[in-house]
Amino acid sequence: MTIPARSKHGAKYLLKYLLVLLSIFSIQAHATPIRIASDIWCPYICENQTGYVVELTRRAFEIQGQSVEFQTIPYKRALVELQKNNIDAVLALTPHTITENQLINADVIVGYKSTDFYTLVGSNETFGKITDLNQSQQIAVVSGYSYGVELDAWFNAHTNTYFATGRDPLAMNIIRLVKGRHSVIVGNKNVIEYTTSQLNLSQQLRYAGTMGKQVPLYVGFNQQNKAGSITFTNGINMLKANGEYQKIISKYKVLPDATSDKASHSNLQKFLPIFN
C-alpha cells in the first residue's frame, strides 16, 4: 500500500495508521498475562493468591490493564523456570539472588528479609553470631534460600543442618521442631510467626535471636521482560499516589490468628498427621 505522506492528508492518514498499529500491539501485549511464580511465604505470599506482595504486584499490573497469572511452586524450581523464560518474574528476591541469576531488578522494595532463629519454649539458646550455632544439635533451614555468605557456608559445612524441601518446607520444619527432630529453625520472623499461628503452635515456640541486618526484597524479572519490570514500577507508583498501596500494606500489619485464614490453616493442618 502506498501512503502519500508528503501531502497533509497523507500525513494525517499515516498518523492514524500508526496509532491503529500501536493500539493493536498494545492490546496484544496486555492480552498476554504476566506469569509470576513463588513459593508460599506468608504473609508476603499466601495461599489463594493472597499476601501483601501478591496483592501489590497484581494491582500494579491491573491498574494499567495488564492481567497476571500466579503460580505456586517451590522456590528453586521458580528460579529455574524463570531462567527458561517459562515465567516472567519471581516475587520477594534478595539482591544477591537477582545478581546471581542475572535477573532484572524492578528496583521497588516490597519487603525485608531477616534471618531469625526460633527454638522451643524452655530452651535457653540465643543466636546473634555464627559461633552460637556450634552448640546446636540439629538446625533446620529451607533448601534453596540464601541466609548470607557466612551462614550459608556454616550450614553447608555442618552435617547437623537439615535442608527442608517441598511445597511448605517451613511448616514441616516447625512441626519437626515441636516433635523434637530439630533444636532450632531458621527463617524470617514474620513468616515463622504467621505459619506457627496457622498450625496452632505459637505457644510452643520462642524467638531466640537474629543474625545480620535486614535485606531488602524485590521482584525479579527475566532478561526477556524488561518491559514488565518497568510496568511494575510504574504501577507501584500509581498505587502509592492513589492510596491503594497503603491500604494493602495495612491489611497485613497484624498477624492473623489461626482461624482468620481458613484456606491457609486447612492447608497446613494436613502435615500434622504425618508426625503423629
Side-chain angles (χ1 to χ4, degrees):
M1 178 177 64
T2 301
I3 301 173
R6 291 184 180 276
S7 69
K8 290 183 179 180
H9 293 294
K12 289 182 180 179
Y13 184 85
L14 178 60
L15 179 60
K16 289 181 180 180
Y17 180 73
L18 291 175
L19 288 174
V20 169
L21 284 180
L22 288 172
S23 176
I24 292 173
F25 291 148
S26 176
I27 292 171
Q28 288 177 338
H30 284 70
T32 303
I34 293 288
R35 304 159 299 173
I36 300 176
S38 178
D39 59 353
I40 298 300
W41 210 52
C42 227
Y44 301 89
I45 302 116
C46 307
E47 290 282 345
N48 298 325
Q49 297 186 17
T50 58
Y52 83 80
V53 176
V54 174
E55 290 197 33
L56 284 176
T57 303
R58 181 194 299 114
R59 288 297 300 140
F61 284 108
E62 287 179 348
I63 200 172
Q64 299 173 87
Q66 173 67 64
S67 61
V68 179
E69 286 183 357
F70 281 101
Q71 302 177 42
T72 301
I73 58 179
Y75 177 77
K76 291 181 71 174
R77 180 185 159 198
L79 291 177
V80 171
E81 295 299 315
L82 191 60
Q83 295 286 0
K84 292 180 178 179
N85 198 31
N86 291 329
I87 56 177
D88 298 306
V90 173
L91 302 179
L93 300 181
T94 64
H96 173 77
T97 300
I98 289 174
T99 300
E100 186 177 52
N101 291 275
Q102 298 182 327
L103 306 177
I104 295 173
N105 187 344
D107 202 26
V108 173
I109 296 175
V110 296
Y112 289 88
K113 175 186 176 183
S114 57
T115 304
D116 305 300
F117 294 74
Y118 280 75
T119 67
L120 289 177
V121 169
S123 170
N124 59 5
E125 287 187 286
T126 58
F127 301 89
K129 55 185 183 300
I130 293 287
T131 54
D132 293 335
L133 295 168
N134 294 335
Q135 304 304 317
S136 298
Q137 296 177 347
Q138 182 81 21
I139 302 169
V141 300
V142 175
S143 179
Y145 280 79
S146 173
Y147 297 89
V149 175
E150 286 186 291
L151 277 174
D152 287 347
W154 195 97
F155 293 146
N156 288 315
H158 290 75
T159 57
N160 63 333
T161 303
Y162 176 81
F163 293 90
T165 59
R167 182 180 174 87
D168 287 284
L170 176 61
M172 302 293 281
N173 280 348
I174 291 170
I175 296 170
R176 289 189 180 98
L177 176 66
V178 171
K179 296 295 183 181
R181 309 284 180 85
H182 312 301
S183 57
V184 58
I185 60 174
V186 186
N188 176 277
K189 186 174 184 179
N190 288 334
V191 181
I192 289 176
E193 293 190 359
Y194 179 93
T195 307
T196 301
S197 74
Q198 296 298 298
L199 290 166
N200 292 327
L201 297 173
S202 297
Q203 300 302 313
Q204 299 190 47
L205 269 66
R206 64 178 276 271
Y207 167 69
T210 298
M211 286 192 196
K213 298 179 180 180
Q214 287 188 331
V215 177
L217 298 170
Y218 301 90
V219 177
F221 291 79
N222 63 35
Q223 291 291 340
Q224 287 73 41
N225 209 321
K226 176 69 173 178
S229 69
I230 295 173
T231 301
F232 172 72
T233 301
N234 291 339
I236 291 294
N237 290 333
M238 293 169 71
L239 295 178
K240 288 181 177 179
N242 69 14
E244 191 173 347
Y245 181 95
Q246 189 57 49
K247 287 182 180 179
I248 293 173
I249 292 294
S250 297
K251 286 171 58 178
Y252 293 90
K253 278 187 176 179
V254 180
L255 293 175
D257 60 34
T259 58
S260 64
D261 185 347
K262 293 181 180 180
S264 178
H265 180 63
S266 175
N267 177 65
L268 292 174
Q269 289 299 309
K270 70 177 180 288
F271 291 107
L272 293 175
I274 299 173
F275 294 89
N276 289 337

